[in-house]
Amino acid sequence: MAVHEARPCLKLFSSHKRTCAFLLPTQHRQRNASTAAAVAEPTHDDIQELEPASSFAPAPSSEPFDPIERAKSRPKRLPPSRYAFRPPRYYRGPLHPHQPPPRADPVSREFIPGPFTLPRLSQTYHSTIAPDLMTLAYQHTPPGHQPAGAGPSPPRLRTWDDSSPYHKGRPTRKPRGGDTLRPLRRPINFRNVPRLEGVTVHCFVNAATGPTGSAALHVAGMALQAITGARATPIQARKNINQWGMRQGKYVAVKADLKGEEMYNFLGKLVDVVMPRIKEWAGVAGSSGDDSGNIAFGMTPEEVAYFPEIEVNYDSYPPKLIPGCHVIIRTTAAEDRDGRLLLSALGVPFHGKQIN
């Protein structure tokens, strides 16, 4: 066999026999891809499988594309990109063309992330207490029912009554009271179920008017910040009271406003830990309330010391400087009766005659 003679290889394809490149000499191994493509001619079946046009090519259009006319033809403008929007530093009123985004928008300067946890008291309210309150106060109204006295509204303007030409077209006098009695208690539905709105813990420091007033005020602020988890705000006296030794502008009290997660955590500790340990305590007075669903009660220094944050560090506080406090619980209830019903479901006990 000659040196330059080519040996046949295995059949790699059914229709063509190709020669192995590594068995050919160097001068016969130099060929281009176009030469190889020209050798293999496509069959009729391969041509039928090809698409007449590419899917990536744009469809031919007889009308020219005008982006300005297309934008004008939209019935509503497209929303602007919030990534290119920079919220203003100051709020310049509702008529200013540059309005800040809502607080819930992550772009807003006032956005606060969270909550990251859900307190147990909050879960109990949304899963159990709120449906029970709505069920207890349910009032069925059939479809199409009109309350008593509901009819066509009276005329807004006076008519000619031959008494005076100045009466015609004038607004009518409003009647005193009403033709029907308004409901004393607004029915509760899924839109206005009473819920907690906020808690304010207020500590008035009697020793703040004395020579060691600054130290007593600092201790009260530390204790209040420990039991609430919020920063305490000092409060100044509004006017002079000689009997108490208060001067206008002097700091005499501290307070902390709680909302959201801090509010539920404070009430949870108060109901589950502190209140059961108070000896000979009947509960919150039933007459407590401001006729708007807000309930308030007080705690002595001995009762404040039952909070876990104070009890574990009781020796760290100076003696007789742990303050008492007033707890004001704000609710969305319209009456004190609904507010007491909400707090009773949360675990706050009431005693005595209840005044609605």
Side-chain angles (χ1 to χ4, degrees):
M1 180 181 294
V3 178
H4 299 289
E5 183 179 358
R7 288 179 294 182
C9 297
L10 298 176
K11 294 183 179 181
L12 300 180
F13 300 94
S14 58
S15 58
H16 301 281
K17 293 181 180 180
R18 295 183 180 180
T19 307
C20 295
F22 64 92
L23 296 178
L24 294 177
T26 306
Q27 61 270 21
H28 292 282
R29 274 187 263 166
Q30 296 179 357
R31 61 180 183 181
N32 300 325
S34 58
T35 307
V39 175
E41 297 181 0
T43 60
H44 182 70
D45 297 334
D46 298 334
I47 296 177
Q48 293 294 331
E49 293 178 1
L50 296 178
E51 296 180 0
S54 175
S55 59
F56 297 98
S61 177
S62 59
E63 299 180 359
F65 176 75
D66 190 357
I68 300 179
E69 293 296 330
R70 182 177 180 181
K72 291 181 179 179
S73 62
R74 291 194 183 99
K76 294 177 62 178
R77 296 184 57 184
L78 296 178
S81 175
R82 68 176 185 176
Y83 298 102
F85 175 74
R86 187 176 182 182
R89 188 173 184 181
Y90 304 103
Y91 179 65
R92 297 179 174 85
L95 301 180
H96 196 270
H98 198 191
Q99 291 292 322
R103 296 183 60 181
D105 194 340
V107 183
S108 174
R109 296 178 183 268
E110 301 180 356
F111 174 74
I112 300 177
F116 300 103
T117 60
L118 191 61
R120 183 195 60 81
L121 198 62
S122 176
Q123 296 181 15
T124 306
Y125 171 78
H126 290 290
S127 62
T128 306
I129 298 176
D132 291 349
L133 290 178
M134 188 172 62
T135 304
L136 290 173
Y138 176 73
Q139 182 178 353
H140 180 65
T141 302
H145 172 73
Q146 292 184 356
S153 59
R156 294 176 51 254
L157 303 177
R158 292 186 182 183
T159 57
W160 177 255
D161 54 359
D162 296 335
S163 60
S164 174
Y166 296 101
H167 290 175
K168 184 178 181 180
R170 295 295 183 91
T172 58
R173 292 183 178 180
K174 296 182 179 180
R176 294 172 179 261
D179 51 354
T180 57
L181 292 177
R182 296 183 179 180
L184 300 178
R185 185 170 180 270
R186 186 174 56 179
I188 296 178
N189 52 24
F190 69 97
R191 299 182 185 274
N192 59 354
V193 177
R195 67 179 187 277
L196 295 175
E197 196 172 21
V199 175
T200 300
V201 185
H202 175 269
C203 298
F204 178 79
V205 185
N206 294 326
T209 58
T212 60
S214 177
L217 201 64
H218 278 78
V219 172
M222 292 167 56
L224 184 62
Q225 185 169 340
I227 65 177
T228 59
R231 183 169 297 277
T233 304
I235 301 176
Q236 296 175 327
R238 296 182 180 178
K239 55 184 178 180
N240 298 325
I241 301 179
N242 297 328
Q243 294 83 354
W244 295 351
M246 284 198 315
R247 296 195 308 269
Q248 183 179 3
K250 188 175 182 180
Y251 292 101
V252 294
V254 290
K255 74 168 185 177
D257 293 326
L258 309 178
K259 290 184 178 180
E261 185 177 351
E262 295 177 346
M263 171 187 65
Y264 285 109
N265 290 334
F266 175 77
L267 286 179
K269 289 184 296 185
L270 183 65
V271 171
D272 298 334
V273 179
V274 179
M275 287 185 176
R277 299 182 61 183
I278 302 177
K279 298 179 181 180
E280 298 180 0
W281 183 65
V284 181
S287 59
S288 175
D290 61 347
D291 298 335
S292 298
N294 303 323
I295 309 297
F297 56 92
M299 300 182 67
T300 62
E302 292 77 12
E303 297 169 355
V304 174
Y306 287 138
F307 278 93
E309 295 83 1
I310 302 295
E311 190 175 16
V312 297
N313 298 321
Y314 187 80
D315 297 336
S316 301
Y317 295 92
K320 299 182 180 180
L321 288 184
I322 297 179
C325 64
H326 297 91
V327 181
I328 300 97
I329 303 177
R330 302 189 303 273
T331 66
T332 59
E335 297 180 354
D336 292 344
R337 175 171 52 183
D338 296 337
R340 282 192 294 268
L341 186 63
L342 171 61
L343 295 184
S344 298
L346 294 176
V348 179
F350 290 89
H351 76 97
K353 184 180 180 180
Q354 296 185 0
I355 301 177
N356 297 319

